Amino acid sequence: MKTRTLTALVIVALALAAFYFGKTAFLILLPILLAMSQHEVLSAFQKAGRKISIWPVYLISLIISPAVYFGGIKGTAIVFIIAFMYQMSLIMLGDDPSPERIVAGSLSVFYPALPMAFMLILAAESETSLGVLACGAFSAAGSDTFGLFIGSKFGKKRLCPSLSPKKSVEGAVAGLFGGVIFSVIIKYIIEFAMGISLPLLLACLIGLVGAAFSVLGDLFASGIKRLCGIKDFSSLLPGHGGVTDRFDSIYFSTLGAYIVWSIISML
């Protein structure tokens, strides 16, 4: 537990430093984390006997930052369309166009790259969107923290035993409150430290939706691990597993944050 806590504190410190330095830090840092996470997912599929071409996947991490910087969401869409079509052409014209390989190939393109791309979009678009990213990322931390504590103490009804036997409905509900609390806390931290102001209601909504999405992200990653017959994606982060193990809930919570922010922006 001490090792896990120490690793978590280091990750939080690095995350806060990245938010302080702004979009430039994220445009450099996130593609590196993406490549590491992609390697873990690809390795998992390969261990499960799924032969997938790696170049369409790594191509995304190489060009996603300039695509987001110069093209925004349109540039991002072009990158994923090209990578997906390239991957599918390799599979369809190869010697094993099986349904399993098609599914694994499709998944390898979009996970974790698509959630990470939206993290980059939030980081690069404006100061406000950077604040949205912060609230979304820390809502996952709040959900994990409250869910683990309440679930271990009071959890009785299993949420999804086939994928995650330890997750409980009680822990998931507590995680919603944790997501809101952590999102509001980080809202005031970035307002004090960086001058980025977000409406309190927006921070609460991001925390709530982000926490709900983070549970789905955790279960989704658990499904991949069960499919591939592994416990963790890697052992890179002591006490946490790999990059994907640590960021699986954040990938989805920031997607939730992006949806909330986009809907409110359209109103």
Side-chain angles (χ1 to χ4, degrees):
M1 182 59 72
K2 289 183 179 180
T3 301
R4 180 181 177 86
T5 302
L6 180 60
T7 303
L9 290 175
V10 171
I11 293 173
V12 169
L14 291 173
L16 290 173
F19 280 110
Y20 180 79
F21 287 105
K23 73 175 183 180
T24 301
F26 281 101
L27 288 170
I28 296 172
L29 178 62
L30 288 184
I32 295 173
L33 290 175
L34 172 59
M36 296 166 69
S37 188
Q38 285 175 319
H39 176 73
E40 291 175 347
V41 174
L42 285 171
S43 297
F45 281 131
Q46 289 171 352
K47 289 177 182 177
R50 305 286 187 258
K51 297 180 180 179
I52 303 171
S53 177
I54 65 172
W55 296 113
V57 179
Y58 287 131
L59 176 67
I60 297 175
S61 61
L62 289 173
I63 64 176
I64 192 63
S65 277
V68 169
Y69 184 81
F70 292 107
I73 194 167
K74 291 183 179 178
T76 304
I78 291 172
V79 169
F80 278 96
I81 290 171
I82 293 174
F84 177 70
M85 297 302 291
Y86 182 32
Q87 183 73 287
M88 288 301 100
S89 66
L90 291 175
I91 293 174
M92 298 302 183
L93 300 176
D95 57 355
D96 180 26
S98 64
E100 291 81 6
R101 191 176 180 189
I102 292 171
V103 172
S106 301
L107 189 59
S108 69
V109 170
F110 293 106
Y111 184 81
L114 187 62
M116 188 73 85
F118 278 94
M119 292 173 69
L120 275 169
I121 290 170
L122 286 172
E125 190 160 325
S126 66
E127 284 193 345
T128 301
S129 65
L130 183 60
V132 170
L133 174 61
C135 289
F138 279 87
S139 71
S143 176
D144 288 346
T145 302
F146 275 63
L148 178 63
F149 179 77
I150 300 299
S152 62
K153 296 290 184 180
F154 307 104
K156 294 181 180 180
K157 187 175 181 180
R158 299 299 97 185
L159 180 66
C160 187
S162 62
L163 293 180
S164 184
K166 294 184 179 180
K167 279 194 178 298
S168 66
V169 173
E170 294 83 358
V173 172
L176 297 179
F177 290 97
V180 173
I181 291 171
F182 272 49
S183 180
V184 171
I185 290 174
I186 199 66
K187 162 201 152 43
Y188 286 113
I189 290 176
I190 62 175
E191 186 173 347
F192 173 78
M194 302 170 59
I196 298 176
S197 181
L198 293 178
L200 179 59
L201 178 59
L202 176 60
C204 290
L205 286 173
I206 290 173
L208 183 64
V209 175
F213 273 51
S214 73
V215 175
L216 295 176
D218 190 37
L219 292 174
F220 184 77
S222 295
I224 295 176
K225 287 187 284 188
R226 278 189 172 271
L227 177 68
C228 297
I230 58 174
K231 182 179 182 295
D232 294 317
F233 282 102
S234 77
S235 57
L236 181 65
L237 303 176
H240 292 266
V243 173
T244 312
D245 296 291
R246 180 59 276 173
F247 281 82
D248 54 6
S249 56
I250 296 176
Y251 290 150
F252 277 53
S253 70
T254 49
L255 283 178
Y258 182 86
I259 291 171
V260 170
W261 181 59
S262 298
I263 291 174
I264 290 179
S265 299
M266 291 187 292
L267 296 178

